[in-house]
Amino acid sequence: MTFRLPDQWVWDSWLADDGENYHLFFLRASRALIDPTRRHFRASIGHAVSPDLEEWTLLPDALVAADEPAWDDLATWTGCTVQGPDGTWHLFYTGVSRGENGLQQRIGSAVSDDLITWTRSEMPALEADPRWYEKLGEGTWPDEAWRDPFVFFDEETQLWQMVITARSRTGDPDQRAVVGHAVSADLTHWETHPPLSSPAGFGEMEVIQSREVHDEAVLLFSCLPDKAPGITFNTASTGTWIARGESLVGPWDLTGSSSFFLPGVYAAQLFKKRDGEWVVFGFQNSVDGRFVGEIASPVPLADILAGEALFPVPTTSM
């Protein structure tokens, strides 16, 4: 699957399946920026399709920054794509604005009938609620974390659930990461709820996913070791963590979460192929200290976990 654009860096990505093609959505920015750290505030959401996760056809961008002034007029960041019961596709994404220098994150959506042409929806931008979540300037974190929405329909509650990269308004400022939460009955009107977890040693928990794998609820998220001061672990890590849970909306055993090794890969995603196989994929972050900016081939989850317990428990330090 290795997906590389010669003139663009690509990083966080996610997949949707229309039954005929796999649709890859990804963040992209021009390599002409030279310094890859500048890519974040130049990001748009790119789009490519493939019948087999191997050969890809590049399509026009799915979404770019809005005309200003708007809450997403600087850059569009990571999200997810789901299909509603009426067949409409919904692309949930993170946006940042010029007016706030990109420091406050919000969540919105776009809709499409064909996964190709997207129109920003009437859904109002979803913001972190100060009753439960840290707001810009309240802690020692440089920005307001409210990003990377992952949306799924929960059969148990019969509601659409959204898990979000967020931070608690209380606790050690270096370890406030929590699983943000919002719910909806119709994919358009959302209500922010209290976090689904408590701080557990992580400074941030990025690209969160809640999945049911082999009849067990798991939470997958990313956090580089230097952003997890309350966690120690015994093996090399590129920042991918997995935790077991009681249901798709938790609670999860975050203090017992396990780090597994994917060489150079960050922002890992779990995806179930049409044949039922679960794979893990993400972008090549750094190799020998150099940012790569391409999406690596998917790795079967079974291969990653072969020969060990499903979720080996690391050493934790709180």
Side-chain angles (χ1 to χ4, degrees):
M1 173 184 166
T2 301
F3 182 81
R4 184 182 191 277
L5 299 178
D7 60 343
Q8 302 270 323
W9 289 304
V10 296
W11 61 105
D12 294 12
S13 63
W14 61 96
L15 286 165
D17 182 5
D18 68 7
E20 180 178 353
N21 284 304
Y22 294 105
H23 292 253
L24 177 70
F25 298 93
F26 52 91
L27 303 191
R28 61 185 286 181
S30 175
R31 294 178 184 266
L33 292 168
I34 307 300
D35 178 0
T37 63
R38 299 174 61 199
R39 73 189 189 276
H40 299 291
F41 291 148
R42 306 296 201 282
S44 59
I45 298 175
H47 186 193
V49 294
S50 170
D52 56 11
L53 292 179
E54 295 180 6
E55 299 295 328
W56 292 93
T57 299
L58 185 65
L59 298 177
D61 281 355
L63 210 62
V64 299
D67 294 335
E68 58 182 319
W71 64 272
D72 56 351
D73 62 21
L74 178 59
T76 51
W77 290 350
T78 310
C80 67
T81 306
V82 299
Q83 189 173 31
D86 64 353
T88 301
W89 291 92
H90 298 252
L91 193 163
F92 293 91
Y93 67 98
T94 309
V96 291
S97 74
R98 296 177 182 275
E100 294 151 343
N101 296 317
L103 296 180
Q104 183 173 351
Q105 300 157 13
R106 298 178 177 86
I107 293 168
S109 78
V111 294
S112 174
D113 293 328
D114 59 7
L115 284 164
I116 307 296
T117 302
W118 294 90
T119 302
R120 282 171 167 82
S121 75
E122 296 180 359
M123 168 186 162
L126 192 65
E127 298 188 22
D129 190 317
R131 288 178 292 175
W132 308 299
Y133 300 101
E134 181 183 271
K135 300 293 285 185
L136 185 63
E138 291 183 357
T140 61
W141 215 247
D143 56 26
E144 181 178 315
W146 191 252
R147 64 181 182 275
D148 305 347
F150 179 75
V151 173
F152 61 93
F153 186 75
D154 180 44
E155 295 289 346
E156 184 173 333
T157 61
Q158 289 294 295
L159 290 170
W160 292 92
Q161 306 282 342
M162 180 188 294
V163 291
I164 304 160
T165 291
R167 282 170 52 84
S168 171
R169 64 182 300 270
T170 60
D172 183 335
D174 291 331
Q175 304 180 39
R176 288 188 180 183
V178 292
V179 181
H181 186 212
V183 300
S184 173
D186 60 7
L187 289 172
T188 300
H189 302 91
W190 290 86
E191 182 179 346
T192 304
H193 281 202
L196 293 172
S197 69
S198 299
F202 297 94
E204 61 185 11
M205 296 165 59
E206 300 193 283
V207 290
I208 296 174
Q209 285 185 294
S210 179
R211 297 281 200 183
E212 186 175 295
V213 180
H214 307 313
D215 297 321
E216 183 161 17
V218 299
L219 190 78
L220 189 79
F221 61 95
S222 294
C223 180
L224 293 173
D226 63 350
K227 296 292 179 64
I231 301 291
T232 58
F233 44 93
N234 299 323
T235 59
S237 173
T238 52
T240 303
W241 301 81
I242 193 166
R244 54 161 56 97
E246 294 181 14
S247 75
L248 289 174
V249 291
W252 299 279
D253 181 17
L254 295 181
T255 59
S257 57
S258 300
S259 172
F260 58 79
F261 183 64
L262 290 171
V265 169
Y266 191 69
Q269 298 265 316
L270 267 172
F271 184 76
K272 189 176 184 180
K273 296 165 56 180
R274 293 182 199 132
D275 62 7
E277 180 184 42
W278 284 97
V279 295
V280 180
F281 68 97
F283 76 93
Q284 287 288 335
N285 185 17
S286 178
V287 175
D288 297 327
R290 177 182 62 87
F291 182 74
V292 177
E294 62 187 37
I295 299 171
S297 298
V299 178
L301 180 62
D303 290 355
I304 297 171
L305 302 175
E308 56 181 310
L310 183 58
F311 305 119
V313 178
T315 302
T316 61
S317 174
M318 297 299 295

